[in-house]
Structure formats: structure tokens, C-alpha cells
């Protein structure tokens, strides 16, 4: 197991007595060292925009239609042109700031619903119907985002567009595998995205799910941490109690259930998170989960969860299709309990005005460090407006960003 950071990474002035003592105790020597610098409250750290983030399901962006999405307070208009290509523009008309997501798609252009200004997929103004002769079109259009479509989701790159091509895109080979079927999740949760990472990574909260999973005894087998990731391995041993039938079917136990333990591996690889469950004596995971938590509002106290649950098909043809409703019900029940918990944590933070957590699990201290060190300051509203203005200028140069069909994923 990788050695974890000391408690000084998390106190912020509200830790336990032992944690506060750990921060302030000087090292032995003739003179006291410089004071330990204050650690940023993780709930005030923004997610790094220089990654690919899903902002919609593909099915929500219909051909010749527009769709309103968002990322951390930035409103984004998605639209699918006549060719089937998806584009992403800043969701405001440069004329009167009316949302472009309310507009009309014509070919590969998006026309504002108010005065019919038209925009190409690169954000440039292509037409102003009533523009007088001899008058030039305004030079500034709107920001265009790099966009890709894969795994039944629409991804945008909300950060520096010059970094988009070199930034790794999520690779999910199981999604296109004939041996797997994928269940997609898309839900809004009213909390900072960091609470979601902690919830999934800290499997000591299984008491919360006792009515769905029965009694589970989780044992941390070990974990590894680095600058950008934390990976934990647990042994899940059933300890009695009633278990939802969908849970057994998801773990390939069949209708009769099983008392065999599972190996659960959870990884935060910034900014995404994955989970795999391998039943005892099995070589391959019974299922794998990939999930992204995408902030919606500028203060990043609400996030949209996009999850892909890739389930291994059983040997019996059609068995998974019959079990699908039970598996869906089970996963929704677990998610509802987790959402209750993390939204309660956010409400406490809002009431207290800071992080009063008294964390004792070294694994969570480490993932907080990863999230904090890879995150960015949350931008003020005026900064978002300035960035939009500057990006509007930048949108006038360079080729139009186009979506890339991911041949590994079915349409």
C-alpha cells in the first residue's frame, strides 16, 4: 500500500484535536519551522476544464435540432446538423444574447430564434438577413467547443481548445464488445463533484445500502496513489441479510444468489472514476462502471452524473435481457441512497460555510489531495463572461471543430 499523506492535508482549521495537533506540532530542532500553509477547502476547488466531459446523451441531440447543455456555469448549445454531425457553441446569440439552443437548425448552421442571425459550427456569423448593403457583419461570433461523440454520449472540451487534440479521450473497449451490454445513467445530483468521488471510493459506507445489498463486510486489501490517481481494492464478503435480486443478477450469481466474496476495484483517474467487480474464482469482471461528474453551475454545487455500466453477458442467450429491469431497479435504489447521503453532505457544507469533516480514512485523504492538486480555482461570474468574450474573438480563426465518429461504439 502506498504511504498516505498526513492529516495536515485536510484540516483547514476544522479537523479533530489530533489533526489540529498534527498540523501545529513543530519538528525537533533549534528553531520552529515556518507555519504550515493553509490548505484550500476542496469544496471550493473547481474541476479542471482541460479534459473531455460528457454534457449530453447522444439521443437528446436529435438531427436538425438544438439542445441546451452546460459545464460549470457555461451554457452550451449543442446541435446536430443535416449531415448528422454534432456541433457545440456558446449558448447565446452575439446580437441580443438570446440562447442559441432555442434556435433553428438549417443544414450545418444554427439560426437564432429572435432575429435569425445564423452561425456556422465554428461559431462564426454566416448571415444576418436584414444586414444593409455595404455594412460588414460583426467580426465577433460566439465560442465554439471541440466536440466528440462516443459511447452514446456527446463530449465537449471546455478548456483550452489547443489542448483538445493531445488530451487523452476515455477508452472503454468493453462498450463495443459483443460480450457486454451497457446500461447508461444520466442524473443530476446537488453537490460538489468531490463528494461523488469520495462516496464511490470509500466502500466503508455499505451500512447505508443494508436494505439493498444485505450486510456486507468490506475489507480494504490495499491501494495505490499518485499525482493524478488513486486506486483501491476491496474484498466484499456477504454477512447475511436480504439482498436485492438485481444485485445477484448483476454479479452473475443467478436467481439463487451466492455467498461468495467479490473483489471490487475502484479508481479515480482524474477527472473520471471507474469500478470493477470480479466474483470469486472468476477471471473477468462481472461488470465495469465508468462515470464522470460534470459540474453544471458556476459555483459547482450541482453536478450531472454520466455513467456507463458495462455488464458481461451470461452464457444463456437472452438471460441478461430478462434480468435487465431487475438490474436497473437495483442500481437506481443504490444510487438514490448515495444521492441522499452526498446531498446531505453538501447541505452541511452550505450551512457551516466550510468543510468541518473529521476524516479518519487515509484513502479519502489521498483522493482529496489528488482532486485538489489537479483542480482549478472556481471562476467568478465576471471571469466566465470575459472568457466568453475572448473566445468569441478566437472563434473567428481556424477550422470549424467537428465531431469525430467513434467507430468502436455503436450508434
Amino acid at each position: 500500500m502506498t504511504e498516505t499523506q498526513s492529516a495536515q492535508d485536510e484540516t483547514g482549521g476544522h479537523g479533530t484535536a489530533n489533526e489540529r495537533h498534527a498540523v501545529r506540532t513543530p519538528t525537533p530542532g533549534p528553531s520552529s519551522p515556518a507555519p504550515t500553509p493553509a490548505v484550500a477547502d476542496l469544496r471550493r476547488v473547481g474541476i479542471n476544464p482541460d479534459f473531455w466531459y460528457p454534457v449530453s446523451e447522444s439521443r437528446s441531440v436529435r438531427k436538425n435540432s438544438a439542445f441546451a447543455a452546460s459545464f460549470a456555469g457555461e451554457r452550451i448549445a449543442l446541435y446536430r446538423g443535416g449531415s448528422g454531425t454534432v456541433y457545440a457553441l456558446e449558448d447565446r446569440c452575439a446580437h441580443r444574447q438570446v440562447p442559441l439552443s432555442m434556435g433553428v437548425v438549417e443544414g450545418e448552421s444554427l439560426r437564432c430564434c429572435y432575429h435569425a442571425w445564423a452561425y456556422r459550427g465554428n461559431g462564426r456569423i454566416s448571415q444576418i438577413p436584414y444586414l444593409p448593403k455595404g455594412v460588414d457583419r460583426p467580426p465577433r461570433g460566439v465560442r465554439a467547443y471541440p466536440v466528440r461523440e462516443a459511447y452514446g454520449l456527446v463530449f465537449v472540451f471546455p478548456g483550452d481548445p489547443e489542448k483538445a487534440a493531445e488530451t487523452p479521450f476515455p477508452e472503454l473497449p468493453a462498450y463495443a464488445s459483443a460480450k457486454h451490454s451497457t446500461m447508461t445513467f444520466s442524473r443530476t445530483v446537488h453537490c460538489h463533484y468531490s463528494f461523488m468521488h469520495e462516496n464511490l471510493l470509500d466502500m466503508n459506507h455499505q451500512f447505508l445500502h443494508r436494505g439493498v445489498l444485505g450486510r456486507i463486510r468490506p475489507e480494504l486489501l490495499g491501494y495505490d496513489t499518485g499525482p493524478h490517481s488513486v486506486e483501491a481494492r476491496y474484498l466484499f464478503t456477504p454477512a447475511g441479510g436480504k439482498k436485492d435480486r438485481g444485485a445477484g443478477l448483476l454479479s452473475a450469481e443467478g436467481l439463487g444468489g451466492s455467498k461468495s466474496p467479490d473483489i471490487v476495484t475502484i479508481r479515480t483517474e482524474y477527472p473520471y472514476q471507474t469500478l470493477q467487480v470480479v466474483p470469486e474464482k472468476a477471471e473477468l469482471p462481472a461488470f465495469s462502471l465508468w462515470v464522470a461528474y460534470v459540474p453544471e453551475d458556476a459555483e459547482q454545487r450541482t453536478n450531472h452524473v454520466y455513467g456507463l455500466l458495462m455488464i458481461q453477458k451470461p452464457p444463456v442467450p437472452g438471460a441478461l435481457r430478462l434480468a435487465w429491469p431487475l438490474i436497473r431497479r437495483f442500481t437506481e435504489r443504490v444510487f438514490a441512497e448515495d444521492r441522499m447521503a452526498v446531498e446531505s453532505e453538501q447541505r452541511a457544507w452550505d450551512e457551516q460555510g466550510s468543510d468541518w469533516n473529521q476524516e479518519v480514512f487515509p484513502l479519502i485523504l489521498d483522493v482529496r489531495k489528488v482532486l485538489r492538486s489537479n483542480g482549478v480555482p472556481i471562476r467568478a461570474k465576471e471571469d466566465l463572461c470575459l472568457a466568453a468574450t475572448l473566445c468569441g474573438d478566437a472563434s473567428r480563426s481556424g477550422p470549424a471543430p467537428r465531431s469525430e465518429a467513434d467507430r468502436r461504439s455503436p450508434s
Side-chain angles (χ1 to χ4, degrees):
M1 182 188 304
T2 303
E3 184 178 356
T4 60
Q5 295 294 312
S6 66
Q8 69 182 22
D9 286 333
E10 285 301 319
T11 56
H14 291 286
T16 63
N18 288 337
E19 289 173 330
R20 292 195 295 270
H21 178 73
V23 172
R24 299 190 176 102
T25 300
T27 56
S31 61
S32 297
T36 302
V39 175
D41 186 337
L42 177 57
R43 319 310 173 187
R44 300 182 189 275
V45 175
I47 205 165
N48 191 329
D50 288 331
F51 290 90
W52 290 97
Y53 291 95
V55 292
S56 170
E57 293 185 75
S58 291
R59 63 183 181 181
S60 297
V61 189
R62 299 188 300 274
K63 194 172 183 178
N64 297 318
S65 297
F67 180 82
S70 65
F71 174 85
E74 298 181 29
R75 292 188 291 114
I76 300 171
L78 303 175
Y79 73 96
R80 191 181 298 276
S83 67
T85 300
V86 176
Y87 303 92
L89 301 180
E90 180 185 356
D91 195 8
R92 63 170 189 88
C93 179
H95 179 215
R96 298 283 185 89
Q97 316 305 305
V98 173
L100 288 176
S101 58
M102 297 168 58
V104 177
V105 178
E106 295 180 352
E108 303 304 302
S109 298
L110 179 59
R111 191 178 292 278
C112 178
C113 69
Y114 195 13
H115 288 81
W117 287 32
Y119 296 84
R120 298 188 182 95
N122 62 359
R124 298 176 186 175
I125 300 170
S126 60
Q127 186 191 34
I128 300 175
Y130 55 89
L131 188 69
K133 291 183 178 180
V135 178
D136 293 332
R137 288 197 298 266
R140 181 182 300 136
V142 296
R143 178 181 181 182
Y145 296 84
V147 57
R148 290 185 64 172
E149 191 170 10
Y151 316 128
L153 302 172
V154 177
F155 291 75
V156 300
F157 195 89
D160 182 351
E162 294 185 359
K163 297 180 180 179
E166 63 187 36
T167 300
F169 192 79
E171 294 186 6
L172 306 174
Y175 181 89
S177 169
K179 297 181 179 180
H180 294 80
S181 290
T182 300
M183 186 177 288
T184 302
F185 297 90
S186 174
R187 296 285 187 275
T188 296
V189 183
H190 298 287
C191 73
H192 190 264
Y193 62 90
S194 62
F195 288 117
M196 304 299 293
H197 280 271
E198 294 177 16
N199 170 266
L200 189 60
L201 197 61
D202 186 355
M203 283 293 165
N204 293 308
H205 78 273
Q206 293 312 305
F207 183 76
L208 175 68
H209 303 308
R210 62 195 180 277
V212 184
L213 287 170
R215 293 192 298 275
I216 295 289
R217 187 170 67 249
E219 177 187 352
L220 181 64
L221 301 177
Y223 75 95
D224 301 294
T225 184
H228 310 289
S229 65
V230 177
E231 181 176 284
R233 297 168 298 282
Y234 292 89
L235 180 68
F236 267 30
T237 304
K242 188 176 180 181
K243 186 176 185 179
D244 186 284
R245 292 177 69 188
L249 294 170
L250 182 59
S251 297
E253 296 175 358
L255 294 174
S258 171
K259 295 183 179 180
S260 300
D262 296 326
I263 299 295
V264 181
T265 303
I266 308 157
R267 181 178 181 86
T268 288
E269 179 75 38
Y270 193 90
Y272 315 117
Q273 202 164 36
T274 58
L275 178 147
Q276 287 189 339
V277 173
V278 180
E280 186 183 38
K281 298 180 181 179
E283 296 182 0
L284 299 175
F287 65 89
S288 302
L289 172 69
W290 178 90
V291 63
Y293 312 115
V294 184
E296 292 188 331
D297 58 316
E299 294 184 332
Q300 304 197 21
R301 295 187 187 181
T302 297
N303 75 92
H304 199 96
V305 179
Y306 292 93
L308 299 172
L309 183 64
M310 292 155 281
I311 308 169
Q312 186 180 34
K313 295 179 180 178
V316 181
L320 183 56
R321 179 175 56 83
L322 294 174
W324 205 255
L326 293 174
I327 294 174
R328 170 66 79 170
R329 186 192 67 174
F330 158 68
T331 55
E332 294 289 0
R333 290 181 65 188
V334 171
F335 185 83
E337 292 175 345
D338 285 332
R339 177 160 55 186
M340 176 275 296
V342 295
E343 289 184 346
S344 296
E345 289 185 280
Q346 181 65 62
R347 284 195 297 272
W349 188 94
D350 291 337
E351 293 165 358
Q352 295 158 355
S354 61
D355 197 341
W356 288 18
N357 282 353
Q358 301 187 50
E359 187 54 61
V360 297
F361 196 26
L363 172 62
I364 296 305
L365 299 180
D366 276 3
V367 77
R368 288 180 181 176
K369 181 180 179 181
V370 167
L371 297 175
R372 185 185 294 108
S373 63
N374 287 279
V376 297
I378 292 179
R379 290 184 289 176
K381 187 174 182 180
E382 54 269 23
D383 294 333
L384 291 173
C385 294
L386 176 60
T389 301
L390 295 175
C391 289
D393 280 329
S395 71
R396 295 187 293 117
S397 62
R402 302 181 65 84
S403 64
E404 303 173 29
D406 192 316
R407 299 184 181 274
R408 293 173 301 174
S409 62
S411 60

